[in-house]
């Protein structure tokens, strides 16, 4: 036993002496990692625990994540209960003071953002998985990308003051590029302002607000609760009555209910990626919007012709 | 929760930017949750309490209150978190009992990758021992846990130090020291006056560290792919036992867990989980006088369980568990706690949400001393209210 401990301590000394100077950023979802890379450039390493095609509410707290968190200089999480089902036990095991709550290495992005969907009346779990702190899918408004960027830049400046100028310059470039893209996306979406859509889960209010979509219903009757036949019947009525052309869902929801709705009403089902997912050709934060908006405008264009 | 709502309302009334502030204020309260776990069942034998070895297993024909657990957890200060689990049960005679199951602090930022835990806690022998009944995949405990680690698991007042090894893969070394007394020190100093293996447990106060239980554990984990993870562990538990004033117990265990879950799983479905533990115990038993004198001997017992859980479609999970236990040394066939036993338990669970479940389980139980195999069927249900911390992998 003693020998194992001594060997372990020697290992740790060996590794720490060769540790690189780069700041090691770990994020819960890959959209945060993408923004962190934009700001930190080659002076940081940024990696995400969850994959972009995963439901960020249901990630397994795998032991390999403990090791990643143990090595992190900075942890970026969404907060507002996005990761409540898996991040706390990982952090308890990570033994890394740098990223504990309240320390400079911990970024809880939702704290800097005005969240939508904050309950205004009494809530309990009979309403499904309601988020008492507001809707945590805020990164799907690209304007919030700038707030994430600012949080990253100011944290990097605090922890690596010598490179602050570099980070701030990257932040300016990132903001300029994002502004250009946003105006381009808004222009492309302009003909479709007010389009009525249905989303599977309540995860697209920020995107809808920014690009002028009107979300008139959800496939889930209550957040996190699978659709019942009665609810699907009411959706068929709604789609027909309101002439809803598009249904937006994430890749991690089953297609049984949406196929049924498409078959009954002819509604177009679009898989929107909520985060960076290289397997779907989404390599950075910009690509999330680029890809989803391209699909949406193409679909709406064809639907208009019909 | 209510306090949080009141806080929300105060901020609403004040018309301030309350989202961030409510977040801060609400987190001053500990997370509090209450979990209720009940079972109804029947068996071809009348004495279910003798064949179900776990303290939270169904204990009678009819309805059992398995476990009602009040859990609290919060950060204590920048250095520690605090956890407590208080368990309420109603026994076969209808008497209520309250038990301090766990209460401990855990360090969050000790240097050199160390972590300290202190208080009353389940020690981390194997995979199942440290988990609570509501997190189990079956209605009852595996036989090896009930027989070797004790009906209520191996736990007690103690201190634990663990070290995260700085290796490219996750690996952790844990060592705990616990009192090993009372019912939760079952194979160790146990409760003086109790009958165990034909001998009366003697009073054996702690004279040195050797009289306590030392529990080392080493575990590691690798992700085979993005969708497959394996966790391997080895544990030991060494200490004095209450058979005589100089007898010792040694328990060794090895465990394996494998999980597959696709990246695009919906609310956690589908998945496959495979968990196995093998445990061996060497118990030095002292000689006794009396009407049937027993000589000094070493009782060797071994066994294990292996279980597969398949979440085939949301919100259903089905599984099967195989249990085996046997012993040598002494006269295992004459002791209900040592005789050979083989059990097969298929089950199916329906989860209306993450906070409730309904589970049906059948046990086919081949017990050495009983003429015919025993058949039992149980239905279990659970509810959880409040804020309960997420579970470990």
């Amino acid at each position: 036993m003693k020998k194992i401990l001594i060997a372990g301590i020697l290992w740790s000394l060996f590794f720490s002496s060769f540790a690189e100077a780069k700041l090691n950023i770990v994020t819960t979802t890959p959209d945060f990692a993408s923004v962190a890379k934009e700001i930190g450039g080659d002076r940081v390493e940024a990696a995400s625990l969850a994959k972009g095609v995963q439901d960020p509410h249901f990630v397994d707290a795998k032991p390999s994540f403990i090791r990643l968190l143990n090595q992190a200089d900075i942890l970026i999480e969404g907060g507002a209960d996005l990761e409540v089902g898996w991040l706390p036990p990982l952090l308890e095991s990570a033994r890394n003071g740098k990223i504990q709550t309240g320390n400079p290495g911990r970024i809880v992005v939702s704290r800097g953002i005005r969240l939508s969907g904050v309950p205004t009346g009494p809530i309990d779990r009979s309403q499904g998985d309601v988020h008492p702190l507001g809707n945590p899918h805020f990164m799907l408004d690209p304007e919030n990308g700038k707030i994430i960027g600012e949080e990253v830049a100011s944290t990097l400046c605090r922890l690596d003051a010598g490179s602050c100028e570099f980070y701030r310059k990257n932040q300016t470039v990132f903001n300029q590029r994002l502004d250009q893209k946003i105006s381009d996306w808004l222009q492309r979406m302009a003909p479709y302002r007010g389009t009525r859509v249905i989303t599977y889960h309540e995860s697209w209010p920020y995107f809808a607000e920014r690009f002028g979509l009107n979300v008139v219903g959800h496939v889930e009757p209550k957040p996190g609760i699978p659709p019942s036949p009665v609810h699907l019947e009411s959706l068929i009525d709604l789609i027909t009555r309101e002439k809803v052309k598009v249904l937006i869902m994430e890749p991690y929801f089953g297609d049984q209910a949406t196929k049924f709705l498409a078959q009954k009403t002819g509604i177009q089902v679009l898989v929107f990626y909520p985060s960076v997912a290289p397997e779907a050709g989404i390599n950075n934060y910009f690509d999330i919007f680029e890809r989803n908006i391209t699909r949406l405008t193409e679909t709406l264009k064809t639907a208009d012709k019909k | 929760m209510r306090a949080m709502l009141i806080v929300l309302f105060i901020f609403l009334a004040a018309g301030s930017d309350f989202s961030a502030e409510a977040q801060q204020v609400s987190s001053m309260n500990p997370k509090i949750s209450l979990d209720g776990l009940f079972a109804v069942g029947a068996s071809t034998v009348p004495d279910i309490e003798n064949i179900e070895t776990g303290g939270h297993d169904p204990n009678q024909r009819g309805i059992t209150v398995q476990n009602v657990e009040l859990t609290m957890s919060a950060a204590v200060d920048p250095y520690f978190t605090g956890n407590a689990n208080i368990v309420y049960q109603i026994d076969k005679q209808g008497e209520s009992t309250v038990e301090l199951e766990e209460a401990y602090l855990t360090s969050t930022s000790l240097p050199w990758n160390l972590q300290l835990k202190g208080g009353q806690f389940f020690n981390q022998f194997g995979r199942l021992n440290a988990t609570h009944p509501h997190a189990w995949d079956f209605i009852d405990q595996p036989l090896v846990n009930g027989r070797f680690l004790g009906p209520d698991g191996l736990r007690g007042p103690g201190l634990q130090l663990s070290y995260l090894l700085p290796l490219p893969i996750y690996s952790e070394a844990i060592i705990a020291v616990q009192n090993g007394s009372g019912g939760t020190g079952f194979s160790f100093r146990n409760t003086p006056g109790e009958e165990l293996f034909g001998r009366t447990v003697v009073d054996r106060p702690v004279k040195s560290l050797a009289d306590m239980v030392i529990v080392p554990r080493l575990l590691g984990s690798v992700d085979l792919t993005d969708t497959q993870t394996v966790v391997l562990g080895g544990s030991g538990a060494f200490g004095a036992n209450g058979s005589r004033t100089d007898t010792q117990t040694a328990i060794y265990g090895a465990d394996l867990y494998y999980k597959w879950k696709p990246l695009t799983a919906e609310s956690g479905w589908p998945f496959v989980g495979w968990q196995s533990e093998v445990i061996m115990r060497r118990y030095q038993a002292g000689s006794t006088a009396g009407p049937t004198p027993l000589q000094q001997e070493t009782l060797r017992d071994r066994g294990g369980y292996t279980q597969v859980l398949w979440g085939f479609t949301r919100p259903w999970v089905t599984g099967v568990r195989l249990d085996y236990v046997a012993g040598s040394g002494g006269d295992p066939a004459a002791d209900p706690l040592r005789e050979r036993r083989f059990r097969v338990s298929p089950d199916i669970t329906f989860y209306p949400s993450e906070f409730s479940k309904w589970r049906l389980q059948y046990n086919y139980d081949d017990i050495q001393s009983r003429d015919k195999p025993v058949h039992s069927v149980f239905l279990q249900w659970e509810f959880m209210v409040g804020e309960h911390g997420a579970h470990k992998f």
Side-chain angles (χ1 to χ4, degrees):
Chain A
M1 196 63 218
K2 239 181 219 166
K3 273 181 191 165
I4 297 173
L5 276 178
I6 292 166
I9 291 163
L10 288 176
W11 261 108
S12 73
L13 291 173
F14 176 78
F15 271 90
S16 56
S17 59
F18 287 93
E20 289 186 49
K22 277 187 183 183
L23 281 170
N24 189 3
I25 304 176
V26 173
T27 71
T28 55
T29 55
D31 36 17
F32 300 139
S34 170
V35 176
K37 276 177 205 158
E38 298 285 342
I39 309 297
D42 57 4
R43 298 193 191 174
V44 304
E45 290 287 348
S48 165
L49 300 178
K51 303 273 177 204
V53 293
Q54 267 182 302
D55 185 339
H57 296 305
F58 293 93
V59 175
D60 278 338
K62 294 195 278 194
S64 58
F65 294 167
I66 295 171
R67 206 189 64 81
L68 293 174
L69 287 168
N70 175 259
Q71 308 281 309
D73 297 305
I74 296 169
L75 167 64
I76 308 178
E77 63 163 317
D81 287 352
L82 182 72
E83 305 95 343
V84 71
W86 53 281
L87 190 60
L90 290 173
L91 281 170
E92 198 172 302
S93 300
R95 303 140 220 249
N96 184 350
K98 287 186 221 168
I99 56 167
Q100 297 296 340
T101 307
N103 285 358
R106 179 73 165 270
I107 305 179
V108 184
V109 183
S110 60
R111 297 227 169 114
I113 283 166
R114 180 149 197 117
L115 298 179
S116 82
V118 180
T120 51
I123 51 163
D124 63 37
R125 286 202 187 121
S126 66
Q127 293 151 280
D129 292 337
V130 280
H131 289 293
L133 303 171
N135 192 303
H137 304 279
F138 52 82
M139 48 295 232
L140 294 167
D141 175 357
E143 285 290 342
N144 286 340
K146 290 187 239 169
I147 299 177
I148 304 169
E150 168 57 31
E151 299 244 20
V152 173
S154 53
T155 300
L156 287 175
C157 280
R158 242 193 325 249
L159 297 177
D160 179 19
S163 300
C164 189
E165 209 176 310
F166 171 80
Y167 300 132
R168 288 296 180 193
K169 214 162 85 189
N170 286 348
Q171 188 194 1
T172 311
V173 173
F174 173 69
N175 284 348
Q176 281 168 354
R177 200 167 146 216
L178 197 54
D179 278 333
Q180 272 168 19
K181 289 273 188 187
I182 290 171
S183 75
D184 172 51
W185 294 326
L186 282 171
Q187 209 176 353
R188 283 157 62 192
M189 284 294 292
Y192 310 108
R193 281 201 89 81
T195 298
R196 286 183 285 271
V197 300
I198 282 175
T199 68
Y200 198 105
H201 179 70
E202 224 180 286
S203 36
W204 301 93
Y206 299 91
F207 183 88
E209 166 94 37
R210 178 61 54 201
F211 297 108
L213 297 176
N214 183 7
V215 182
V216 294
H218 304 288
V219 177
E220 293 178 336
K222 292 170 180 178
I225 305 294
S228 61
V230 176
H231 182 67
L232 289 178
E233 284 302 324
S234 77
L235 282 178
I236 292 174
D237 283 350
L238 179 79
I239 293 165
T240 325
R241 197 175 62 237
E242 303 265 331
K243 298 188 178 62
V244 187
K245 290 178 190 132
V246 172
L247 190 158
I248 292 170
M249 67 184 283
E250 285 89 340
Y252 44 78
F253 289 116
D255 59 4
Q256 210 185 343
T258 53
K259 267 186 179 157
F260 173 76
L261 290 174
Q263 193 198 342
K264 290 281 176 190
T265 65
I267 194 167
Q268 292 274 336
V269 178
L270 279 184
V271 174
F272 264 29
Y273 285 83
S275 195
V276 175
E279 52 274 62
I282 300 171
N283 296 310
N284 55 49
Y285 187 66
F286 303 102
D287 287 353
I288 303 172
F289 305 98
E290 186 59 43
R291 191 252 177 220
N292 292 335
I293 285 169
T294 305
R295 288 292 161 88
L296 184 62
T297 49
E298 277 169 3
T299 307
L300 290 172
K301 210 169 170 185
T302 350
D304 274 355
K305 278 181 193 159
K306 277 181 188 166
Chain B
M1 194 67 202
R2 189 194 272 170
M4 199 166 80
L5 283 178
I6 292 168
V7 170
L8 278 172
F9 279 124
I10 291 168
F11 279 103
L12 255 184
S16 60
D17 180 8
F18 65 91
S19 63
E21 297 192 37
Q23 195 172 334
Q24 284 154 14
V25 173
S26 71
S27 59
M28 289 300 284
N29 293 320
K31 287 180 183 156
I32 298 176
S33 71
L34 183 78
D35 184 88
L37 194 62
F38 311 89
V40 58
S43 176
T44 53
V45 293
D47 56 331
I48 292 185
E49 71 275 20
N50 290 330
I51 60 166
E52 291 291 316
T53 55
H56 296 284
D57 293 351
N59 58 19
Q60 55 190 316
R61 283 178 174 168
I63 300 164
T64 301
V65 178
Q66 289 188 276
N67 194 39
V68 177
E69 181 183 292
L70 182 69
T71 304
M72 276 170 272
S73 65
V76 177
D77 52 30
Y79 319 108
F80 299 103
T81 58
N83 286 269
N85 307 303
I86 295 153
V87 166
Y88 304 84
Q89 271 181 298
I90 298 175
D91 70 14
K92 214 183 149 185
Q93 282 72 38
E95 284 296 312
S96 283
T97 55
V98 180
E99 184 182 24
L100 178 67
E101 190 174 57
E102 291 192 285
Y104 56 88
L105 61 72
T106 310
S107 72
T108 52
S109 40
L110 280 187
W112 307 307
N113 284 346
L114 293 171
Q115 185 161 54
L116 182 75
K117 189 170 171 175
Q120 156 87 1
F121 56 89
F122 277 111
N123 71 50
Q124 290 183 273
F125 187 104
R127 282 194 67 83
L128 193 102
N129 187 63
T131 59
H132 294 180
H134 77 91
W136 294 348
D137 299 314
F138 291 84
I139 292 171
D140 45 15
Q141 220 178 45
L143 297 173
V144 280
N145 288 78
R147 279 198 183 178
F148 302 165
L149 305 178
D152 265 326
L154 185 54
R155 68 186 153 92
L159 283 164
Q160 176 184 290
L161 191 67
S162 61
Y163 174 57
L164 194 64
L165 276 71
L167 297 174
I169 59 163
Y170 163 82
S171 37
E172 189 174 344
I174 303 167
I175 189 150
V177 182
Q178 283 177 318
N179 273 355
S181 57
T184 55
F186 183 76
S187 293
F188 298 93
R189 291 190 295 126
N190 208 312
T191 310
E194 288 281 312
E195 283 295 314
L196 192 63
F197 311 133
R199 292 146 172 102
T200 306
V201 174
V202 300
D203 189 15
R204 195 172 166 182
V206 171
K207 293 199 189 95
S208 72
L209 191 64
D211 294 323
M212 299 170 82
V213 185
I214 313 285
V215 186
R217 174 164 170 79
L218 193 64
L219 76 162
S221 172
V222 279
D223 296 332
L224 302 175
T225 65
D226 284 338
T227 59
Q228 298 179 84
T229 300
V230 169
V231 187
L232 278 168
S235 315
F238 311 101
N241 72 42
S243 184
R244 225 173 49 190
T245 50
D246 60 349
T247 46
Q248 301 287 318
T249 299
I251 308 178
Y252 302 89
D255 53 273
L256 162 82
Y257 180 60
Y258 163 89
K259 185 172 182 183
W260 167 81
K261 192 178 101 174
L263 289 175
T264 53
E266 180 183 0
S267 301
W269 273 271
F271 69 89
V272 172
W274 175 41
Q275 179 167 315
S276 302
E277 292 191 52
V278 290
I279 305 180
M280 283 177 290
R281 179 183 62 196
R282 206 175 60 226
Y283 186 95
Q284 289 179 342
S287 56
T288 59
T292 47
L294 292 165
Q295 58 181 11
Q296 184 170 341
E297 57 199 344
T298 300
L299 313 179
R300 293 166 199 277
D301 292 272
R302 61 196 175 274
Y305 71 90
T306 183
Q307 64 181 46
V308 177
L309 270 291
W310 178 32
F312 55 100
T313 185
R314 186 185 176 195
W316 292 92
V317 178
T318 187
V320 64
R321 181 186 62 197
L322 306 181
D323 268 294
Y324 177 77
V325 273
S328 59
D331 185 6
D335 191 335
L337 288 176
R338 299 194 58 224
E339 63 183 330
R340 196 182 63 244
R341 217 172 140 177
F342 172 68
R343 188 170 72 178
V344 184
S345 315
D347 77 344
I348 185 159
T349 312
F350 173 71
Y351 291 88
S353 75
E354 289 165 77
F355 308 103
S356 63
K357 74 166 176 253
W358 290 83
R359 171 174 292 160
L360 186 65
Q361 180 179 326
Y362 162 73
N363 284 357
Y364 169 90
D365 212 335
D366 186 358
I367 305 170
Q368 195 174 5
S369 65
R370 308 218 178 199
D371 304 335
K372 285 186 285 188
V374 178
H375 306 274
S376 312
V377 175
F378 304 108
L379 175 73
Q380 182 189 53
W381 62 97
E382 181 199 356
F383 73 88
M384 156 94 69
V385 293
E387 227 187 321
H388 190 80
H391 291 137
K392 289 187 173 179
F393 188 78

